[in-house]
Amino acid sequence: MNNSFPRLIDGMCATLRSEVLPRLSDDYARSQVFGVINLLNTFKVRADWSAGFLLEQIRAQRDALNNVAELLRESPPGLDVPAMPALPMPVATPVIELLALRDDANRAIGVWSVWVEANRANLDAGRAARIDEFLRAAMRAEVAIELKNAPRPLFAEMSSGTEG
């Protein structure tokens, strides 16, 4: 039976804490072990086996861009509206493809941000504000998801060589 990637990382961190750290008397060596633990915790949430946070980001981006498309379904005449990317919600997709989908959506959000700014005078204020709101919500969600999925850094332990 295979262990999950997070369980393997947790086992490595537990071994470093319980078996390696107690045998080190040098503060510098101890701080380096805390650095390795911190790095392993980062790998745990960002490695190929961890697609959950990418799916959350893609979902937030897709929702924002779909809302923008809905707002502009009946756009004023004469507006050159950018093409909306196809944003299927992936289910069982390799991480490399999820990264590409997220990056494509980020580019689309950038294109739409530039477009709404360039066309603000041609849009009614409410519609422009709603588009801004949707795009900014997706950008804030991406940052929030990144922060939620980042382990607490062990800076204090790395600098002191002691836990806590």
Side-chain angles (χ1 to χ4, degrees), residues 53-91:
F53 80 97
L54 286 170
L55 290 169
E56 286 182 66
Q57 289 175 329
I58 292 167
R59 186 174 299 112
Q61 293 168 326
R62 187 200 64 200
D63 292 347
L65 291 169
N66 285 342
N67 286 331
V68 169
E70 183 62 33
L71 274 175
L72 293 173
R73 189 170 312 282
E74 296 178 18
S75 57
L79 277 183
D80 185 20
V81 178
M84 188 61 70
L87 294 170
M89 193 58 210
V91 180

Side-chain angles (χ1 to χ4, degrees), residues 90-148:
V91 180
T93 305
V95 170
I96 192 78
E97 291 178 29
L98 293 176
L99 288 167
L101 282 171
R102 187 210 44 207
D103 293 346
D104 288 346
N106 273 333
R107 278 188 285 283
I109 288 169
V111 166
W112 279 100
S113 294
V114 169
W115 179 87
V116 77
E117 201 53 45
N119 290 282
R120 193 167 298 280
N122 300 325
L123 294 168
D124 68 79
R127 188 177 293 194
R130 295 280 296 162
I131 292 170
D132 283 336
E133 180 184 319
F134 290 134
L135 297 176
R136 287 188 178 133
M139 290 184 263
R140 281 192 295 275
E142 184 172 0
V143 171
I145 292 163
E146 289 281 342
L147 291 173
K148 180 181 82 172

Side-chain angles (χ1 to χ4, degrees), residues 21 23-35 155-163:
L21 281 172
R23 290 174 173 78
L24 294 175
S25 58
D26 180 69
D27 284 342
Y28 177 77
R30 292 175 58 79
S31 70
Q32 294 302 300
V33 172
F34 280 116
F155 295 133
E157 291 86 346
M158 286 186 266
S159 63
S160 68
T162 60
E163 185 127 33

